[in-house]
Amino acid sequence: MTDDKDVLRDVWFGRIPTCFTLYQDEITEREAEPYYLLLPRISYLTLVTDKVKKHFQKVMRQEEVSEIWFEYEGTPLKCYLVFFLHYPIGLLFDLHASNTALPWSITVHFKNFPEKDLLHCHSKDVIEAHFMACIKEADALKHKSQVINEMQKKDHKQLWMGLQNDKFEQFWAINRKLMEYPSEDNGFRYIPFRIYQATTERPFIQKLFRPIASGGQLQTLGDLLKDVCPSAIAPEDGEQKTQVMIHGIEPMLETPIQWLSEHMSYPDNFLHISIIPRPTD
């Protein structure tokens, strides 16, 4: 991969100022103070659940505490496994709150778990297993699973522990191998990506897409969208009604998709691309 380490660091250390407040109908022994955190974009809400739960349990009766879940403006946040998909924090924010004022205001619940909207996730082991499954799927697309299969179990563990403990060097010492390719190939076999649309019930769009066109030219983000989600591209004589977001920014549509995959993928090695309505004001 090209050595743009500053970009990798900027992506890794991206943070979202967040305010957690307890739902007004929860029963407490005294007033619950809000809890403020700088959430890593690349991580998962599940990995900060213990901190949030510990804060609010101080003012609650033990019998009133059951499974914790989160909500933003009436929408349960998919921090649990939904449609076999785990949503990173940055993706959740881009889909639900990217055009709102900071801090991101998340409501905390301990009752009435929304069974129809969320699936239970009882341990970090489940999240780790899902995370590794995504990495393996991504490498199957990029390298026919050759790289991940050559790694040892301790390498897999180092990827997870680097993410869980927010250790950039620890994670990238291993992940760099997953981002390499033979010089004669000019890129990955296929690009691991998922496209999410804020205005549809469909969880995501995913299909095979090569970073190099049949004529040898580099494919761009615009090429990907034209092929997979043409509604995200403004017509030549029309107004752009959507925003294409990756890690909270709008990349230029001319950006090579191979470069984006190497530098803007989440730790699970997927490009998570959000298509959201453009603000009208």
Side-chain angles (χ1 to χ4, degrees):
M1 63 181 293
T2 57
D3 192 13
D4 290 328
K5 201 167 186 178
D6 287 344
V7 177
L8 301 179
R9 284 186 174 277
D10 287 345
V11 169
W12 184 273
F13 290 106
R15 298 292 187 265
I16 300 171
T18 306
C19 175
F20 293 91
T21 55
L22 191 64
Y23 183 56
Q24 60 185 11
D25 288 351
E26 298 286 349
I27 299 174
T28 62
E29 295 182 334
R30 61 182 187 275
E31 184 178 356
E33 295 291 332
Y35 186 52
Y36 292 89
L37 282 175
L38 284 173
L39 296 180
R41 274 187 155 272
I42 59 166
S43 190
Y44 302 98
L45 275 177
T46 307
L47 297 184
V48 302
T49 295
D50 289 346
K51 291 181 180 179
V52 177
K53 191 172 184 178
K54 184 178 180 180
H55 172 81
F56 289 111
Q57 277 183 325
K58 296 174 184 177
V59 300
M60 300 183 69
R61 298 189 188 97
Q62 196 59 39
E63 62 269 21
E64 300 292 341
V65 177
S66 57
E67 186 168 1
I68 190 173
W69 57 281
F70 303 111
E71 166 201 323
Y72 173 71
E73 292 189 346
T75 301
L77 293 176
K78 297 174 180 178
C79 51
Y80 295 81
L81 292 173
V82 183
F83 303 109
F84 305 104
L85 179 68
H86 201 73
Y87 284 61
I89 290 170
L91 173 61
L92 282 171
F93 182 80
D94 289 346
L95 282 174
H96 294 290
S98 58
N99 292 311
T100 60
L102 294 174
W104 187 17
S105 182
I106 295 179
T107 303
V108 180
H109 295 260
F110 287 97
K111 292 181 179 178
N112 303 318
F113 190 93
E115 304 282 351
K116 293 183 179 180
D117 298 307
L118 302 178
L119 298 180
H120 297 272
C121 179
H122 296 293
S123 74
K124 290 180 181 177
D125 290 342
V126 175
I127 310 306
E128 179 182 357
H130 172 78
F131 171 74
M132 286 310 307
C134 286
I135 286 183
K136 290 176 180 178
E137 180 182 351
D139 196 56
L141 292 167
K142 292 191 287 189
H143 307 114
K144 296 184 179 180
S145 300
Q146 294 174 357
V147 178
I148 196 71
N149 288 342
E150 290 175 359
M151 289 183 179
Q152 300 179 27
K153 190 172 182 179
K154 65 180 181 65
D155 297 325
H156 297 177
K157 195 67 177 180
Q158 184 170 329
L159 286 168
W160 171 247
M161 294 306 294
L163 173 62
Q164 180 175 272
N165 298 326
D166 196 22
K167 300 294 185 182
F168 174 82
E169 298 291 351
Q170 180 182 3
F171 176 83
W172 271 100
I174 302 300
N175 197 61
R176 179 170 295 276
K177 301 173 185 177
L178 294 165
M179 293 296 176
E180 295 174 344
Y181 53 85
S183 57
E184 63 270 16
D185 289 349
N186 295 318
F188 301 139
R189 184 164 161 260
Y190 296 106
I191 297 295
F193 74 92
R194 286 169 179 161
I195 293 177
Y196 309 79
Q197 296 171 281
T199 57
T200 180
E201 291 294 319
R202 185 176 181 180
F204 60 87
I205 302 171
Q206 180 178 348
K207 64 180 291 187
L208 296 178
F209 187 82
R210 294 187 182 273
I212 311 298
S214 56
Q217 66 272 29
L218 291 173
Q219 302 252 57
T220 66
L221 174 61
D223 294 327
L224 172 68
L225 294 173
K226 288 175 186 175
D227 183 57
V228 178
C229 188
S231 61
I233 303 292
E236 293 183 5
D237 57 348
E239 181 183 357
Q240 180 68 46
K241 295 183 178 180
T242 60
Q243 290 177 291
V244 180
M245 306 283 286
I246 306 176
H247 290 292
I249 66 172
E250 290 187 78
M252 295 177 63
L253 296 183
E254 297 79 16
T255 308
I257 199 69
Q258 175 66 37
W259 188 92
L260 286 173
S261 185
E262 292 177 39
H263 298 90
M264 301 288 283
S265 289
Y266 279 77
D268 64 7
N269 277 232
F270 273 84
L271 268 178
H272 294 290
I273 305 169
S274 301
I275 310 297
I276 62 174
R278 184 173 293 279
T280 55
D281 54 1

